[in-house]
Amino acid sequence: PEAPQDLVLYGFGRIGRLVTRMLIQKTGPGNYYRLKAIVIRKASDDDIYKRASLLLRDSVHGPFDGTVRVDQENSLLVINGNPVKIIYADKPEDVKYSDFDITNPIVIDNTGVWRKRDDLLKHILSGASRVILTAPAKGDIKNIVHGVNDDVLDSADTIISAASCTTNAIVPILKVLNDKYGVSSGHIETVHSYTNDQNLIDNFHKGDRRGRSAPLNMVITSTGAVEAVAKAIPELANKLTGNAIRVPTPNVSLAILSLTLDCDIDKDSINNYLKSMAFHSKYREIIGYVNSPEIVSTDFYSSPFASIVDSQATITSGNRLTLYCWYDNEYGYSKQVINLAKKIAKIILTRLPLPID
């Protein structure tokens, strides 16, 4: 781009703070993009200090690799020397980005509160050039899995969904399998770490089962990831079912893909194909591959991949395939969101060596 792209984070939860860490650590002199502001609701008089502390220290991902300084007078977090404005607002229409010297920003809405076009359009009316929603959208908004179906984007798409962490984990794997072998049907079970929407101890919850204590129970719940697959890979529409089990771990999830393919396969050929996709194809920054018989979930903390194939666990029988795919549902997804933002901002930096097609 001719000038650095301004970025704004709307919300500062798990995804918002990880995106901040990753953006700042890669910003450098800010030639391509720069995080200009974070928009949040003010929760207390010392709100900005608490936000700084949460950014600096993380129970799952460890300490931030850098410095965070508070400039309360100017409502700034100075992160690794980069001044980031903290804007307090209750809703999108309460902000005018031009008032803060922020020009046509890409707004990454990671609150999950607003998922419909009319609601997200308020970011545009406040001065945003594009909006990326870090949750499955409702209505006619395009759900994009970076690296798989981002080619459907055009200049008219001002509001875009980055889908969910699980959708980003399963779609790349399903894409490469369907391209080579064809997927005729299947079921996807997600063993998912508990999230902040569950209760620490038993209490009322509007959702089924989610009111029970997250650290003490495995909780069966629904997932919209399978329905979202068809938006990224239309030929798989109505071919898959899915469900999820929330388990007492704070991070890293596992997608179990039980698929019927259009041809017979064996474990070695499937694993060799997925390994080549992970190391040599255009999906190499999205799909990971491990071959250790000792690997467990905590080994994938802060993994940048959207999905990692556990090759030791692969099961085949005729045309039936069961794959186990790990993913850091926080960090890997945040990386996908950032890559989508770069795509929208037309920031395309070549990685060498080039992939083998």
Side-chain angles (χ1 to χ4, degrees), residues 46-281:
D46 60 349
D47 183 282
I48 193 169
Y49 289 98
K50 289 184 177 292
R51 306 287 184 172
S53 179
L54 285 168
L55 177 62
L56 193 60
R57 307 171 184 88
D58 192 282
S59 301
V60 170
H61 300 281
F64 175 60
D65 187 16
T67 60
V68 180
R69 181 170 61 85
V70 173
D71 180 351
Q72 187 173 26
E73 182 179 350
N74 295 303
S75 192
L76 292 172
L77 289 182
V78 184
I79 311 169
N80 279 4
N82 296 274
V84 179
K85 186 73 173 180
I86 301 299
I87 302 171
Y88 290 107
D90 290 331
K91 49 190 182 298
E93 58 265 40
D94 291 344
V95 184
K96 292 298 179 187
Y97 292 110
S98 57
D99 293 344
F100 301 96
D101 193 29
I102 300 173
T103 305
N104 298 324
I106 295 174
V107 171
I108 301 174
D109 186 326
N110 57 94
T111 64
V113 175
W114 299 283
R115 298 191 183 189
K116 296 180 180 179
R117 181 176 296 277
D118 288 348
D119 293 325
L120 294 168
L121 185 62
K122 293 172 183 176
H123 290 301
I124 302 294
L125 297 176
S126 294
S129 59
R130 297 282 193 279
V131 179
I132 298 174
L133 169 66
T134 65
K138 296 179 180 180
D140 62 345
I141 298 171
K142 291 179 181 178
N143 281 264
I144 302 298
V145 175
H146 178 265
V148 177
N149 71 325
D150 49 75
D151 57 333
V152 304
L153 291 172
D154 57 48
S155 58
D157 294 316
T158 55
I159 300 173
I160 302 150
S161 166
S164 70
C165 57
T166 300
T167 304
N168 276 265
I170 64 178
V171 162
I173 304 297
L174 289 168
K175 173 64 174 172
V176 298
L177 288 174
N178 191 58
D179 284 350
K180 186 171 179 65
Y181 302 104
V183 175
S184 59
S185 64
H187 176 82
I188 298 170
E189 195 71 30
T190 304
V191 182
H192 199 292
S193 295
Y194 58 72
T195 64
N196 199 41
D197 117 287
Q198 294 172 256
N199 291 331
L200 283 174
I201 57 175
D202 291 0
N203 207 345
F204 175 82
H205 194 295
K206 64 180 181 180
D208 296 339
R209 308 184 199 238
R210 293 195 188 196
R212 303 298 296 278
S213 171
L216 298 178
N217 293 287
M218 293 189 291
V219 179
I220 297 174
T221 186
S222 61
T223 175
V226 171
E227 288 78 5
V229 168
K231 295 183 178 181
I233 313 173
E235 54 267 37
L236 293 185
N238 303 315
K239 291 185 177 182
L240 303 170
T241 58
N243 221 359
I245 306 169
R246 298 286 179 89
V247 295
T249 54
N251 187 43
V252 177
S253 300
L254 179 65
I256 306 171
L257 286 65
S258 298
L259 307 172
T260 302
L261 305 180
D262 291 343
C263 60
D264 288 354
I265 38 83
D266 62 79
K267 180 175 178 176
D268 287 343
S269 64
I270 282 284
N271 280 342
N272 286 334
Y273 171 63
L274 291 172
K275 181 165 65 174
S276 69
M277 291 293 101
F279 290 116
H280 303 299
S281 78

